[in-house]
Every structure is written in structure tokens, then in C-alpha cells.
Amino acid sequence: MRILSLLSFFSFYSFTIIGIYIFNLNRKQKLNWTAAAVNFCFAIWAFSYTFFFGAETMEIAQFWHKVSSIGWIMFCPFAAHFFLILSEKVEKYDKCYFYLIYILPLILLIKTFISKESPIASSFVQSKSGLGWTYILNCYSIWFWLYVFHIIIYFTFVLFITFKWAKETKRL
């Protein structure tokens, strides 16, 4: 097993255990559901890359990259949802806003599964270091920039909500 595959498997195991632990703390609390979902996204990403690095062919590497996209695309909306619940802003926003949080990532995910390239990868090559597969960035595609935009917007939104909440909260 390649070293990167081993590290990815250890990451998968860790994120899965943490996700199960968070979920079991209080199964009825939405905050725990979304925190566990973020961890499970990272677990899917790491699990897929366990097989991505050691893939025999480019097609197999591409398959595992597509599976991993569930994790690296969907962690942003789950994290945004988590921070909305944490900051107690959920009641302020209508359910329509929650659909907006998930729509762009779902479009990116569907695009990844129906095409030969993903938002971040145009093709796959063997790493020159001998550590497995790697990909060539898809930076000339509008999908790449939508993915980058999606990450920047979600992180900016989460930081804004959390900063505002931290200033207003009475918790210490």
C-alpha cells in the first residue's frame, strides 16, 4: 500500500470515528447532525483517495476521484448549515435560503458525475514522485472557477456569521 493511501485510510478512520461520536452525543440535535455530516464528507473524501492513489489505471483513479467529490464539494454547504445553526441564525432565514446553500454544490456534483472531468481535474497522470496518481488542474474551465467561487463565498459567509455571532453571544 502506498504511503498516501495509508495516510488517507487513517484520515478516513479518524473522521468516521469523530463523526459517529458527534452524532451519538445527541442524535436529536441538528447541530450534531450537521457536524457529523461535515466529518462524514471528509471521511468519504479520504476513503476515496485511499484507492485513488493506488489505482492501477487512469479510469479507476478517475472513478475514485469522482466518488471523492461527494466529500470535497459537499463539506461547504454542510459547514455553512452547521454555522447557521451554531450562531442561532436558522430562525432568521427562510427554508428557501437553505436550498440556495445546497444548489451550487449539487450542480457541481452532478457535473462531476456526468462528465469526464471534474471542476478541479481535467485529467489524471502518474505522480513523478511515485506516490500514485495526481491530476492536472482544470483552471481553464468555468467549472473550476465556480468551485473556487463556491469555496470563497461559503467561507466568507461562515466567517461573517460566526464573527457576528461571537460579538453578540453571552456565552463564554
Side-chain angles (χ1 to χ4, degrees):
M1 180 178 266
R2 296 178 191 267
I3 187 71
L4 293 179
S5 293
L6 191 60
L7 289 171
S8 292
F9 185 78
F10 178 73
S11 297
F12 154 72
Y13 177 77
S14 300
F15 283 123
T16 302
I17 296 299
I18 292 168
I20 291 169
Y21 175 76
I22 291 169
F23 180 73
N24 285 329
L25 283 175
N26 186 347
R27 293 177 186 220
K28 295 180 182 179
Q29 200 171 43
K30 288 182 182 178
L31 189 65
N32 289 33
W33 279 80
T34 54
V38 170
N39 274 279
F40 292 141
C41 282
F42 290 136
I44 290 168
W45 187 356
F47 179 78
S48 300
Y49 267 59
T50 299
F51 300 103
F52 170 79
F53 291 121
E56 294 290 323
T57 65
M58 184 179 75
E59 290 76 22
I60 295 171
Q62 185 177 26
F63 169 79
W64 285 110
H65 177 74
K66 285 183 179 193
V67 172
S68 75
S69 69
I70 296 167
W72 53 262
I73 291 176
M74 295 306 292
F75 84 89
C76 279
F78 286 128
H81 197 158
F82 169 82
F83 281 102
L84 278 172
I85 295 169
L86 178 69
S87 65
E88 300 162 351
K89 301 289 184 199
V90 173
E91 293 81 29
K92 181 180 175 183
Y93 296 100
D94 189 8
K95 286 186 179 184
C96 178
Y97 289 107
F98 286 107
Y99 295 122
L100 290 176
I101 288 174
Y102 290 97
I103 192 82
L104 179 58
L106 286 173
I107 290 170
L108 290 170
L109 197 59
I110 291 167
K111 193 273 185 220
T112 300
F113 278 101
I114 64 172
S115 71
K116 286 225 176 244
E117 58 184 33
S118 74
I120 62 170
S122 62
S123 66
F124 301 89
V125 294
Q126 281 285 343
S127 171
K128 292 178 182 173
S129 64
L131 295 175
W133 290 89
T134 188
Y135 50 84
I136 298 171
L137 279 180
N138 199 9
C139 58
Y140 297 109
S141 169
I142 187 69
W143 294 102
F144 174 82
W145 295 107
L146 276 173
Y147 177 71
V148 170
F149 173 75
H150 135 273
I151 289 177
I152 291 169
I153 292 300
Y154 281 77
F155 276 100
T156 303
F157 175 70
V158 163
L159 287 172
F160 173 75
I161 291 291
T162 306
F163 181 73
K164 192 173 176 182
W165 170 69
K167 286 175 56 175
E168 297 171 356
T169 190
K170 304 292 186 236
R171 297 183 202 180
L172 291 175

